[in-house]
Amino acid sequence: MNKKIESILNRQIIREGYSSHLYLAMASWAENEGYKGIASWLYAQAEEERLHMLKFIKYINERGGKAIIPEIEKPPVRYAGVLKMFEEVLKHEQFITGSINEIVQTCMEEKDFNTYQWVQWFVNEQLEEEASVRTLLDSLRLAGDQHLYLFDRDIMSMRQKEKSADTAAE
Ligand code: FEO
C-alpha cells in the first residue's frame, strides 16, 4: 500500500477513535446531568464512530498496509451546558469532514483511485452527520433553556425510531 495513503488512513483511525471517546464522554456527562434522551443519542453516536474507526482498520489491513491501534487522548469531562456541547459536536464533525477531504485530496495526488472510491462513503456520511447535528442545534435553540426537557424527550423518541428502523432493516 502507498505509504502516504497508509499514513493518512492511520491518522484517521486516531481521529475516529477520538470521536468515539469524545461522544462517550459527552454521553456520560449528559447521563449524570439527567438528560437521558441526549445521553442515548450520544452513546449511539459513539458506537457509530467506533464502527468508522473499524472500517479504516480493516481497509488498511485488507489492502496490505498495517493498521495501528492508537492510544486515545482523554476528552473533556465537563461541558458548559447542552447547547454549548452540541456546538462542540458540530465543530468536531466539521473538523472530521476536513480530515476526510484531505484523504480525498491525497488519493488524487497519489492516484490511488480505489481508496478514492472507498472513501466516498465517508464523504456522504459526513454530509449527513453535519446536517443532523445542525437540525438538532436548530431545535435546541428553539426550545431554549426552559424547554430542554422537551428536547430531551424528542431526541429520545427520535433515537428509538432509528433503533426500530435499524432492527427492521437487519
Ligand atoms: Fe466518523 Fe462523525 O465522524
Side-chain angles (χ1 to χ4, degrees):
M1 180 178 218
N2 174 306
K3 286 294 157 200
K4 276 197 187 158
I5 301 286
E6 183 176 355
S7 149
I8 202 165
L9 295 182
N10 265 307
R11 185 186 77 174
Q12 198 61 27
I13 293 179
I14 303 174
R15 294 183 173 174
E16 300 292 343
Y18 182 73
S19 305
S20 181
H21 254 47
L22 176 66
Y23 298 152
L24 265 184
M26 288 174 168
S28 177
W29 173 83
E31 193 163 51
N32 280 319
E33 294 290 311
Y35 300 116
K36 283 203 174 80
I38 294 169
S40 123
W41 187 86
L42 286 161
Y43 278 126
Q45 211 58 27
E47 195 49 32
E48 267 193 34
E49 299 300 353
R50 202 188 71 85
L51 293 176
H52 293 173
M53 176 176 67
L54 214 57
K55 274 185 196 272
F56 279 94
I57 294 172
K58 297 208 158 164
Y59 181 77
I60 296 172
N61 289 339
E62 275 162 16
R63 290 284 310 278
K66 278 196 176 56
I68 297 162
I69 310 305
E71 209 171 27
I72 295 176
E73 199 188 319
K74 182 181 172 191
V77 174
R78 269 179 283 281
Y79 297 88
V82 171
L83 180 62
K84 284 244 162 15
M85 188 189 70
F86 274 98
E87 283 169 351
E88 284 299 311
V89 173
L90 181 59
K91 216 161 80 188
H92 184 71
E93 287 303 329
Q94 286 166 335
F95 165 72
I96 295 293
T97 301
S99 182
I100 296 289
N101 288 342
E102 283 168 18
I103 297 178
V104 173
Q105 197 183 338
T106 310
C107 288
M108 287 185 334
E109 286 162 5
E110 298 299 311
K111 299 191 169 28
D112 181 343
F113 301 115
N114 289 324
T115 307
Y116 176 88
Q117 210 173 8
W118 177 80
V119 86
Q120 295 308 310
W121 183 88
F122 285 93
V123 172
N124 292 324
E125 179 71 8
Q126 282 311 117
L127 277 178
E128 280 177 25
E129 287 198 351
E130 279 194 30
S132 87
V133 179
R134 278 202 189 86
T135 309
L136 287 179
L137 271 170
D138 286 345
S139 6
L140 248 180
R141 289 192 184 107
L142 273 177
D145 282 348
Q146 319 85 297
H147 299 297
L148 258 183
Y149 73 97
L150 289 176
F151 175 84
D152 189 59
R153 195 193 58 190
D154 289 352
I155 197 172
M156 174 72 102
S157 66
M158 209 174 90
R159 179 65 211 130
Q160 274 157 357
K161 267 184 219 144
E162 280 170 9
K163 240 200 258 175
S164 43
D166 287 352
T167 322
E170 276 165 13

